[in-house]
Amino acid sequence: MAITSMDQLPAAFESGQKKQINDRLPTGLGRDTRNKARNLRKYAGVVVVLAVWCALSYGRVVDATRLPTPTALWDQFVSLATHGFHGVSLEDNILVSVEQTMLGLGFGIVFGVSFGLAMGYSKVIEELFGTLFSFIRPIPAIAFLPLAVLYLGIGLTPKVVLISVTSFLFIVMSTESGVRGIQHDLLRVAKNLGLNRYQTFRYIILPGATPGIMTGVRTGLALSWALIVAVELIAAQSGLGYMIEQAGNFFELKIVFIGIILIGIIGVILDSVVVLIERRLLHWQGR
Amino acid sequence: MTVVPSMKERELNEKGSKGRLAFQHVTKQYENGFVAVKDLSFTVHDGEFLCILGKSGCGKTTCLHLAAGFEFPTSGAVLAKGDPVSGPGPDRAMIFQSPALLPWMSVYKNVILGPKCRHEPQYAELADSLLEEVGLSRFANAFPYQLSGGMRQRVAIVRALIGQPEVLIMDEPFGALDAQTRLGMQEMLLSIWERRKTTIMFVTHDVDEALFLADRVLIMSPHPGRVREALVVDLPRPRDYRLFADQRFVNLKRQVMEILHEKI
C-alpha cells in the first residue's frame, strides 16, 4: 500500500534512540574528543580562577591574612565541619538556609502557579492583579526587610515570607506567559473533541504551561537562595549568611571564604536538581 | 464536467435540500467590522467530498470555523443535519493545518483523548485498527517530536476518525508538507474516505489538490467572501497520481485557473 512506502522513519527513532545532534555534526573529530573539548571549555573559567588564586596565595603576592591559601582554607573547612562555628555545626547552618529557602519557595510555587494559571486563563484576573504584581516585581525584596522584621520579628517567618513573595512574583509571571504561549489550535482541538473545562485544564493547560512554570521555578530558586543569604546577613541567628556575618565581625576571613564558596556550590546543586526535574517533566520537548 | 453557476446552487438550497451541512445566507462580520463571508449559501451532501478553493483572505477558514462551531454567523444559519450548529462537537471533527497534537502525550494517548474524555467504551481496539490503517502501529508509543510532518498529520486524522464523525472538516491539512508526502497523504485520505464515505469539507488553495480529491469544488472570491462558482468534478474514482496527467483533469484545471485568474 502507498501508506507504508511513504513512511519517512527518522533513522534515530528506528534504532530506539533520541536524536543526537552530536552524531550529525559534520566534523572530522570523533564524538569523545569533542565531548572532552567541551568539558574543558566548561571548566576553563573555574580552572583559571583557581590557578590565579594559587599563584597569588602560595606566591605570597597577597598577604595570607587577606587571601588564605587553598590548603589553609581546606584545613579550616575540615575543622569547621567537625567543630562548627560559635556553637553551631556547619550542617545546621547549611540546613537552616536550605530549609528556609525550600519552605519559602514551596509557598511561592503553590501560590505562583495557581495565580499564574488563573491569570493566563482569565483576562479579568490578569487585569485585576497584573499591574500590582508588575509594580512589586522590580523592587528588591531586601528593601522590604526592615518592614518584615518590624511586623514579623526575627526568625523563620519574615524570611519565609520574603522568599515566598519574591519567588511568587516571578513564578506568576512565567506561569502566565506559559499559559498564553499554548498553541491556540490545541484549545480548539479540546473543544472539538468535547473536553470539559477540567479535562482541558488537566490535559492541555497544565502540561502546556509546564515549560513556563519550570522557568519560573528555576528563576525563583536562584533569587530565593540569594535572598536567604542576604537576609541572614542582617536578621538571623543561624544559617550560612549568619555564619559569614559573624565570621566577618571576628575577622575570620577563612570562614567568610568558605561560606561564600559553599553558597555557590549549594546554589549549583539546587539548580541542577531543578534542571533534572525539568528534563523529566519536559522529556516530550525532545531536547 | 459541468460548471454549475452559483445562483443555481443557491436555489437548490432554498428548496430545502437538507444535506449533512448546510450554509443558508450566512454572513459573518467580525467585531472589528471585517466582513469575512457574505450571504453564503451551499450544502455539503451526505457522503460528499467537497473542496472549498480560494486564495487566502477569501473566508475559507471562516467557513470551516462556522461549520465546526468555533464561530457563529452574524446572520443566516449553519445547519448540521437540519439543526443549527450550536458549538463544537466530535460529530464534526476538525483537522487543522498544523497537526495540533499534544506534544506531551504519546501518539496513542493523543488518539484516544477524545473518546476517553467523553467516557466512550471500546476505543482501544478502534485506535489500534485506525493506527494500523494509516501505517502508524509501530509508533503508538512515540511522541510527536519523534515523528515527521506527514506522520503527525496522520495521527491528527486518526484522532478525528476515532470519534466516528459524520463530517470531517479539514483546513489545508497538507499545506505544510512537501510535495511527495502531500501526494501520499492525499491518496491515503481518498482511500479512507472511499471506505467510509464520511462527508468531508476540505479547504485548500491548491487547485490540483481540490480537483484530485473532490466531488465538487466551490471556488470562493474574497472581499467579502462568497461562492463564485460551484464545479462538479466528475472524474473517475478510485483516483491516483496518474490522474494529474489525464486530459480531463487538465481541462478542468484550465477551467478553474481561468475562473481564478479573472478575479485578479
Side-chain angles (χ1 to χ4, degrees):
Chain A
M1 234 175 20
I3 296 155
T4 36
S5 70
M6 58 185 248
D7 268 345
Q8 301 169 329
L9 309 180
F13 182 75
E14 272 283 83
S15 62
Q17 286 175 336
K18 290 186 178 178
K19 286 175 197 167
Q20 290 245 330
I21 295 166
N22 252 337
D23 294 339
R24 294 199 246 122
L25 281 180
T27 158
L29 294 170
R31 183 152 39 121
D32 284 352
T33 323
R34 264 179 285 133
N35 279 348
K36 265 182 205 160
R38 190 195 296 148
N39 284 338
L40 273 179
R41 283 197 300 277
K42 263 186 175 173
Y43 298 109
V46 180
V47 170
V48 168
V49 171
L50 284 176
V52 171
W53 177 23
C54 288
L56 291 180
S57 58
Y58 289 125
R60 299 189 194 285
V61 182
V62 180
D63 191 77
T65 53
R66 288 172 175 270
L67 185 70
T69 61
T71 17
L73 211 60
W74 176 254
D75 291 342
Q76 177 68 69
F77 175 72
V78 172
S79 116
L80 186 66
T82 34
H83 305 301
F85 179 67
H86 288 206
V88 187
S89 74
L90 184 62
E91 305 95 270
D92 283 351
N93 275 328
I94 293 174
L95 277 181
V96 162
S97 298
V98 173
E99 274 171 12
Q100 291 177 351
T101 307
M102 288 302 140
L103 196 58
L105 185 65
F107 281 118
I109 292 173
V110 170
F111 290 105
V113 170
S114 323
F115 255 83
L117 289 172
M119 284 169 71
Y121 212 41
S122 147
K123 198 73 198 158
V124 176
I125 299 178
E126 198 275 326
E127 283 161 356
L128 281 176
F129 294 98
T131 321
L132 177 67
F133 292 162
S134 319
F135 170 73
I136 310 174
R137 197 175 296 119
I139 304 172
I142 204 83
F144 292 111
L145 186 60
L147 293 179
V149 172
L150 185 67
Y151 297 149
L152 305 165
I154 56 172
L156 184 73
T157 326
K159 287 183 267 183
V160 172
V161 167
L162 282 185
I163 290 176
S164 305
V165 171
T166 306
S167 51
F168 168 83
L169 289 170
F170 281 85
I171 294 170
V172 157
M173 183 172 66
S174 60
T175 303
E176 186 204 338
S177 69
V179 176
R180 295 208 185 283
I182 294 172
Q183 203 195 336
H184 203 87
D185 276 351
L186 296 188
L187 299 173
R188 290 209 176 100
V189 165
K191 281 189 189 166
N192 194 227
L193 294 178
L195 270 60
N196 63 32
R197 281 179 78 91
Y198 166 73
Q199 289 162 340
T200 306
F201 176 80
R202 168 75 184 75
Y203 296 117
I204 295 178
I205 308 282
L206 190 59
T210 307
I213 293 173
M214 290 314 292
T215 308
V217 169
R218 223 179 142 186
T219 319
L221 175 69
L223 287 166
S224 304
W225 183 239
L227 180 63
I228 187 78
V229 176
V231 173
E232 282 169 352
L233 285 173
I234 302 165
Q237 286 136 335
S238 57
L240 282 174
Y242 174 75
M243 187 183 85
I244 291 176
E245 165 68 10
Q246 288 294 303
N249 289 343
F250 289 91
F251 298 103
E252 298 258 22
L253 203 62
K254 284 182 274 187
I255 299 206
V256 174
F257 272 108
I258 290 170
I260 291 171
I261 294 170
L262 280 178
I263 289 165
I265 291 175
I266 295 167
V268 170
I269 293 173
L270 293 176
D271 187 59
S272 335
V273 172
V274 176
V275 170
L276 212 68
I277 297 172
E278 191 176 22
R279 292 233 178 98
R280 276 279 171 94
L281 287 176
L282 303 179
H283 67 95
W284 47 265
Q285 289 186 328
R287 297 205 178 122
Chain B
M1 200 188 330
T2 43
V3 178
V4 185
S6 54
M7 274 310 292
K8 203 168 178 181
E9 175 74 14
R10 214 171 284 168
E11 282 164 28
L12 215 83
N13 286 323
E14 277 156 13
K15 272 177 208 158
S17 126
K18 270 203 164 178
R20 274 296 146 155
L21 211 55
F23 278 59
Q24 295 181 340
H25 305 287
V26 170
T27 298
K28 175 69 187 177
Q29 184 172 21
Y30 286 102
E31 281 157 20
N32 61 12
F34 178 72
V35 181
V37 295
K38 192 171 183 185
D39 195 24
L40 194 65
S41 294
F42 64 87
T43 303
V44 193
H45 304 290
D46 206 2
E48 183 183 32
F49 200 135
L50 179 83
C51 276
I52 299 179
L53 180 68
K55 57 184 174 185
S56 41
C58 72
K60 291 174 299 183
T61 300
T62 301
C63 281
L64 294 195
H65 285 183
L66 289 165
F70 296 132
E71 284 162 14
F72 298 97
T74 314
S75 67
V78 180
L79 307 177
K81 281 170 85 183
D83 298 320
V85 168
S86 62
D91 57 316
R92 282 155 290 121
M94 177 115 184
I95 292 165
F96 300 86
Q97 186 169 10
S98 76
L101 302 180
L102 306 184
W104 42 86
M105 286 185 188
S106 67
V107 165
Y108 182 75
K109 287 196 170 165
N110 261 288
V111 164
I112 63 162
L113 182 66
K116 189 180 131 197
C117 286
R118 298 191 299 269
H119 307 291
E120 283 166 12
Q122 289 157 354
Y123 48 76
E125 291 148 36
L126 194 54
D128 290 340
S129 73
L130 283 169
L131 284 173
E132 175 82 50
E133 191 176 342
V134 300
L136 286 178
S137 296
R138 279 175 305 151
F139 294 90
N141 294 319
F143 281 81
Y145 79 89
Q146 294 165 313
L147 306 180
S148 69
M151 292 159 89
R152 285 179 204 169
Q153 204 54 282
R154 279 185 270 161
V155 178
I157 291 173
V158 172
R159 179 175 64 184
L161 287 175
I162 198 170
Q164 293 167 310
E166 305 198 347
V167 186
L168 271 182
I169 300 171
M170 308 182 81
D171 187 4
E172 301 190 30
F174 310 143
L177 304 176
D178 63 86
Q180 269 171 297
T181 310
R182 191 184 310 146
L183 177 60
M185 295 292 289
Q186 289 162 348
E187 287 180 336
M188 190 197 75
L189 180 63
L190 281 183
S191 74
I192 285 173
W193 174 73
E194 267 151 23
R195 246 167 282 154
R196 289 178 180 74
K197 289 290 175 190
T198 307
T199 310
I200 297 183
M201 187 174 166
F202 188 108
V203 153
T204 181
H205 58 257
D206 180 340
V207 178
D208 282 349
E209 182 168 69
L211 293 176
F212 182 64
L213 295 173
D215 289 324
R216 204 154 53 101
V217 176
L218 299 184
I219 302 170
M220 288 189 68
S221 65
H223 312 301
R226 47 179 39 190
V227 176
R228 165 72 188 249
E229 300 280 354
L231 189 75
V232 174
V233 186
D234 52 359
L235 297 169
R237 292 185 189 272
R239 300 173 185 172
D240 62 23
Y241 64 95
R242 282 166 296 200
L243 187 71
F244 290 111
D246 191 301
Q247 193 53 46
R248 290 170 293 181
F249 181 88
V250 176
N251 290 342
L252 214 48
K253 184 175 173 181
R254 182 180 303 127
Q255 216 174 328
V256 175
M257 296 301 272
E258 274 161 11
I259 295 167
L260 289 172
H261 195 255
E262 278 171 35
K263 292 186 299 194
I264 304 167

